């Protein structure tokens, strides 16, 4: 199969990342990888043309490992995808809500379904992966044991959905980035654009304030700014940012020039179309 039609993700077949790949790139074949590093490597080495990597969840927050991987992974962000997370209670054929006693899943999935788990009186058991838990339950084939995973996992592993949509929060959504070996910048003015970059500032008073000043004075909207330690040093902080705009547009170009003056190691990770979900979500929040 040509690598141009393959998209890599971390996890077992049926993971939410697998589902996100199929929704965002329905004509491509998904490639499961053991780790995020393996998914990056699959694209760098030409075994896949794209990778789909989760970076944040509306409940659990950021996927920390990937903030470290993105700057050094050798890939470029070419798109974003927002995947609604609908948790399903899965069990082998013949199991019922009365027969199950335990439920396995990733710790975040378990924490996002606490109301249903308590209501059914189930013992929660941590697993490294939602789809991996579903695969294990299918292999056990015991009506006393269930898993929390996606509807895709139910289909792949031949499990019944005993209860659908058991997550506590209706807004449970994960944001994914789509990565490629080469950048793919949208044409200037063709769409709403997001630019993602990382940078460091000098360890002096007001360094971050000065570095960010150009975005305010040039009217550039910053939708994300996060900091994290690098190199194990408390004095070395790296910042990860998303802003609205294209680097060739005058406001963002001037803002980045000012950032470059006050910061160091500024690196653009990607310039890509903004997913319409961003603005649908903003409209819903405004209506609330």
């Amino acid at each position: 199969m040509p690598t141009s039609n393959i998209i890599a993700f971390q996890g077992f077949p049926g993971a939410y990342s697998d589902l996100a790949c199929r929704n965002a790139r329905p004509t491509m074949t998904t490639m499961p990888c053991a780790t995020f590093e393996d998914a990056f490597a699959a694209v760098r080495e030409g075994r896949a043309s794209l990778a789909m990597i989760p970076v944040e969840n509306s409940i659990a927050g950021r996927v920390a490992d990937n903030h470290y991987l993105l700057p050094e992974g050798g890939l470029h962000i070419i798109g974003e995808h927002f995947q609604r997370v609908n948790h399903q209670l899965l069990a082998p054929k013949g199991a019922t809500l009365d027969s199950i006693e335990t439920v396995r899943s990733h710790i975040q999935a378990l924490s996002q379904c606490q109301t249903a788990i308590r209501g059914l009186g189930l013992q929660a058991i941590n697993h490294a992966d939602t789809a991996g838990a579903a695969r294990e339950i299918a292999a056990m084939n015991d009506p006393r044991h269930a898993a929390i995973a996606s509807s895709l996992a139910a289909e792949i592993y031949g499990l019944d959905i005993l209860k659908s949509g058991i997550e506590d929060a209706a807004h449970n959504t994960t944001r994914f980035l789509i990565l490629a070996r080469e950048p793919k910048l949208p044409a200037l003015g063709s769409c709403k654009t997001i630019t993602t970059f990382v940078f460091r500032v000098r360890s002096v008073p007001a360094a971050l304030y000065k570095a960010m000043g150009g975005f305010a004075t040039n009217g550039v909207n910053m939708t994300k700014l996060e900091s994290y330690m690098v190199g194990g040093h408390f004095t070395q902080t790296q910042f990860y940012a998303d802003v609205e705009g294209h680097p060739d547009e005058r406001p963002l170009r001037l803002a980045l020039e000012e950032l470059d003056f006050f910061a160091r190691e500024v690196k653009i990770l990607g310039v890509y179309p903004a997913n319409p979900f961003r603005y649908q979500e903003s409209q819903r929040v405004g209506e609330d």
Side-chain angles (χ1 to χ4, degrees), residues 259-279:
L259 172 66
D260 198 51
F261 182 79
F262 289 108
R264 57 192 178 94
E265 299 181 41
V266 179
K267 183 177 183 179
I268 292 181
L269 303 181
V271 181
Y272 49 97
N275 190 292
F277 179 89
R278 285 177 171 270
Y279 306 105

Side-chain angles (χ1 to χ4, degrees), residues 10 41 49 60 66-67 78 92 94 102 107 113 119 147 149 173 197 204 207 212 217 219 229 267-268 276 279 281:
Q10 184 277 326
S49 61
N66 290 331
H67 285 70
I78 65 164
T102 73
I107 188 170
C113 301
T173 303
F197 58 93
V204 296
M212 294 290 94
T217 56
M229 184 190 302
K267 183 177 183 179
I268 292 181
Y279 306 105
E281 187 70 8

Side-chain angles (χ1 to χ4, degrees), residues 10-229:
Q10 184 277 326
F12 288 99
Y16 287 102
S17 292
D18 189 0
L19 183 61
C21 288
R22 295 173 188 232
N23 287 337
R25 294 291 191 273
T27 63
M28 298 185 74
T29 299
T30 59
M31 173 193 285
C33 298
T35 66
F36 291 121
E37 291 91 338
D38 291 340
F40 274 78
V43 178
R44 283 198 310 270
E45 296 166 5
R47 290 178 284 113
S49 61
L50 301 177
M52 178 82 84
I53 301 296
V55 288
E56 58 190 322
N57 177 268
S58 60
I59 297 175
R62 75 183 184 190
V63 183
D65 286 353
N66 290 331
H67 285 70
Y68 293 100
L69 286 172
L70 283 166
E72 308 301 331
L75 303 181
H76 301 269
I77 305 169
I78 65 164
E80 63 177 354
H81 172 73
F82 292 83
Q83 180 64 47
R84 177 75 172 83
V85 179
N86 295 112
H87 288 307
Q88 319 293 331
L89 183 63
L90 311 181
K93 304 291 184 183
T96 67
L97 291 176
D98 292 329
S99 73
I100 57 175
E101 300 171 0
T102 73
V103 61
R104 288 166 167 76
S105 197
H106 188 278
I107 188 170
Q108 288 188 1
L110 294 173
S111 68
Q112 292 167 13
C113 301
Q114 291 184 33
T115 300
I117 292 171
R118 283 196 302 267
L120 292 169
L122 302 177
Q123 177 190 356
I125 300 174
N126 290 345
H127 198 282
D129 184 271
T130 57
R135 187 176 74 161
E136 185 175 285
I137 290 301
M140 293 169 64
N141 195 28
D142 187 328
R144 296 173 300 170
H145 304 299
I148 293 174
S150 68
S151 56
L152 178 60
E155 178 183 335
I156 289 174
Y157 300 111
L159 297 172
D160 283 344
I161 298 177
L162 298 187
K163 199 168 185 180
S164 182
I166 63 171
E167 62 275 6
D168 294 338
H171 62 75
N172 192 349
T173 303
T174 298
R175 178 180 176 233
F176 290 82
L177 297 178
I178 304 169
L179 308 173
R181 284 186 297 279
E182 300 296 333
K184 188 179 178 182
L185 277 66
L188 190 63
S190 63
C191 61
K192 292 183 178 180
T193 305
I194 302 296
T195 297
T196 295
F197 58 93
V198 293
F199 66 95
R200 301 186 194 183
V201 296
R202 300 176 183 87
S203 186
V204 296
L208 180 60
Y209 174 80
K210 293 175 181 177
M212 294 290 94
F215 295 93
T217 56
N218 287 286
V220 175
N221 184 32
M222 182 169 286
T223 61
K224 176 177 287 297
L225 178 64
E226 293 187 337
S227 65
Y228 53 101
M229 184 190 302

